[in-house]
Amino acid sequence: MDKNNLEEIIFGGGCFWCVESCFNILKGVESAISGYAGGHQSHPTYQEVCTGETGHAEVVKITYDPSIISYEQLMEVFFFLHDPTQLNRQGNDIGTQYRSIIFYKDDIEKQKAEQAIKRSEASGKWNGTYVTELAPFEKFWPAEQYHQGYYNANPTQPYCSSVVGPKIQKFKIHFGELEMLETSL
């Protein structure tokens, strides 16, 4: 991986434990960090974000090498991992903090995100109107340390074993077949 050629993308697709766990095993991803973005409160905590009053979404900041994995491939993974037709929720996780959102840093990224949404909608994978929000990137706040790598540290925790684990297995099967995973299955 070329450390001088790394780029970042930030998006939210429900619980950050699910999203972060999957992105961290993709080839070309240097790191996936859980955090918060899109709100009005500085230095938000998990407890504050969970109230839905901060305006922040649970997000993941992906640092990647575009010579190994493209922005378009990252978007394909993003739309695989969550249902972009659910407004302010993913499954039983309900609230604006679980909204589908892509942050862009400039007009080029905004256009790429718009194209990714159109491609995903055209694929027919999700039935319904996409509600994925596009927003200019302002600030990323890393989540508390205990949220980083949460699934790997807590695989038997009830939410992890019933929601995160099955999602990771489905992800590994699909993207392992496409040879996009860091390790072989």
Side-chain angles (χ1 to χ4, degrees):
M1 192 173 309
D2 182 358
K3 302 274 185 188
N4 296 318
N5 192 34
L6 298 178
E7 294 185 20
E8 292 180 349
I9 185 171
I10 297 168
F11 42 63
C15 173
F16 50 32
W17 297 341
C18 297
V19 178
E20 176 243 333
S21 297
C22 292
F23 276 94
N24 267 324
I25 58 176
L26 282 174
K27 288 179 186 174
V29 171
E30 182 195 47
S31 66
I33 300 171
S34 294
Y36 316 107
H40 52 80
Q41 183 174 328
S42 296
H43 307 284
T45 65
Y46 181 68
Q47 289 73 21
E48 292 167 336
V49 171
C50 285
T51 69
E53 295 176 12
T54 65
H56 287 292
E58 287 191 13
V59 298
V60 177
K61 178 172 78 170
I62 311 295
T63 303
Y64 68 100
D65 183 338
S67 70
I68 299 172
I69 189 166
S70 68
Y71 181 94
E72 291 77 17
Q73 288 173 307
L74 292 170
M75 286 289 104
E76 179 183 348
V77 172
F78 172 68
F79 286 117
F80 179 86
L81 291 175
H82 81 291
D83 182 346
T85 69
Q86 292 188 341
L87 182 62
N88 297 329
R89 72 177 298 163
Q90 285 299 302
N92 291 327
D93 294 329
I94 299 171
T96 58
Q97 67 270 29
Y98 299 113
R99 67 190 180 271
S100 177
I101 188 166
I102 302 169
F103 292 93
Y104 58 87
K105 293 182 182 166
D106 56 31
D107 286 339
I108 294 170
E109 273 193 9
K110 182 179 181 185
Q111 291 172 353
K112 284 182 176 182
E114 290 169 341
Q115 292 167 354
I117 290 169
K118 286 178 185 173
R119 269 193 312 278
S120 185
E121 283 180 316
S123 76
K125 178 179 179 349
W126 300 105
N127 192 12
T129 302
Y130 278 44
V131 294
T132 302
E133 206 178 303
L134 287 177
F137 173 73
E138 293 178 14
K139 178 75 176 160
F140 171 81
W141 303 96
E144 296 82 352
Q145 188 57 43
Y146 72 91
H147 287 295
Q148 310 305 330
Y150 189 86
Y151 175 78
N152 289 339
N154 303 282
T156 60
Q157 188 263 7
Y159 184 88
C160 288
S161 62
S162 65
V163 177
V164 183
K167 186 174 278 203
I168 291 171
Q169 290 310 311
K170 182 179 172 184
F171 169 82
K172 284 182 174 180
I173 291 167
H174 181 78
F175 288 96
E177 290 171 354
L178 298 176
E179 299 182 7
M180 290 176 62
L181 300 182
E182 191 65 49
T183 57
S184 61
L185 299 175

